[in-house]
Amino acid sequence: MAIEQGSRLAFPGGPTALVLLSTGAGAMDALVFTALGKVFASVLTGNLVLLGVAVALPSTDVAGPLTVLGGYVVGIVVAARWCRAERDRRARRVLECLAVEAVLASVLAGLAVAFGDGLGRTPLLVLAALAMGMQSATVLAADPNSPTTYLTSTFTRFCSDLATTGKVDPWSLTRIAGLVLGAGGAVALGNATGWWAFTAPAALIVAASGLVWRGIRAAPAT
């Protein structure tokens, strides 16, 4: 019997892998926003708002938000379906999805370095959205309480816990900080190195995948 997607499963790479993924998502979002047309790779709320603005203001570009939304949805569907598995197989499938995401981010970085915007922004936007969609669905399948791309609920829970109990999850704060530092660091790197900055989110995602792989190998067989 398949386990429901929302059921709890400790993330196989541990909290450090989640922080790396959050940092990578912040870096990817910041670079996409600054270099590829003022859209987000993973912040769907922002893209939906931009889509609404584009509908109301015909002079506003609608292609960017639609491209990202389409790519993100495809990434979600692929990862969600693949990670919907029995508990003893799901950790391995989480790793497989993260490995695919790492490949997508690495290809994006390679194309950005080799061609810049010479290919047009659409291929780069599609790769970024696919990668972030896969990351969102993969983390959701393994640990629904620790998102790495959409941290509004995490920030709200952190502030609520602080206000009501005075106790907070330090890893939640670390993921929030990672997102912010990833975004700022990526933009600073972009200012210094141009398109090479896209190697930063790729490296972070690869590193997180490595921790997941190590965590799976270290887990006792069941």
Side-chain angles (χ1 to χ4, degrees), residues 84-199:
R84 188 181 180 88
E86 298 286 351
R87 189 181 185 86
D88 59 348
R89 290 189 297 152
R90 200 169 358 148
R92 176 65 60 178
R93 292 198 173 188
V94 164
L95 174 60
E96 291 166 353
C97 284
L98 289 179
V100 172
E101 183 200 359
V103 170
L104 291 170
S106 298
V107 171
L108 166 57
L111 291 176
V113 170
F115 300 103
D117 57 1
L119 293 175
R121 66 173 180 166
T122 299
L124 303 182
L125 283 177
V126 169
L127 288 169
L130 282 170
M132 291 297 98
M134 291 196 71
Q135 178 174 316
S136 296
T138 299
V139 173
L140 180 64
D143 188 349
N145 294 325
S146 302
T148 58
T149 55
Y150 44 93
L151 298 187
T152 301
S153 61
T154 301
F155 186 80
T156 302
R157 186 182 302 115
F158 178 86
C159 293
S160 177
D161 289 346
L162 185 63
T164 57
T165 68
K167 299 178 181 179
V168 296
D169 176 11
W171 284 108
S172 294
L173 180 60
T174 307
R175 282 186 289 115
I176 293 168
L179 188 82
V180 175
L181 293 174
V187 171
L189 186 62
N191 290 336
T193 67
W195 294 100
W196 281 94
F198 277 93
T199 61

Side-chain angles (χ1 to χ4, degrees), residues 40-84:
F40 299 99
S42 68
V43 184
L44 265 293
T45 301
N47 288 327
L48 290 170
V49 170
L50 292 173
L51 184 60
V53 171
V55 171
L57 298 176
S59 60
T60 305
D61 177 41
V62 71
L66 284 177
T67 298
V68 174
L69 286 168
Y72 193 84
V73 168
V74 172
I76 288 175
V77 170
V78 171
R81 290 184 65 85
W82 188 245
C83 290
R84 188 181 180 88

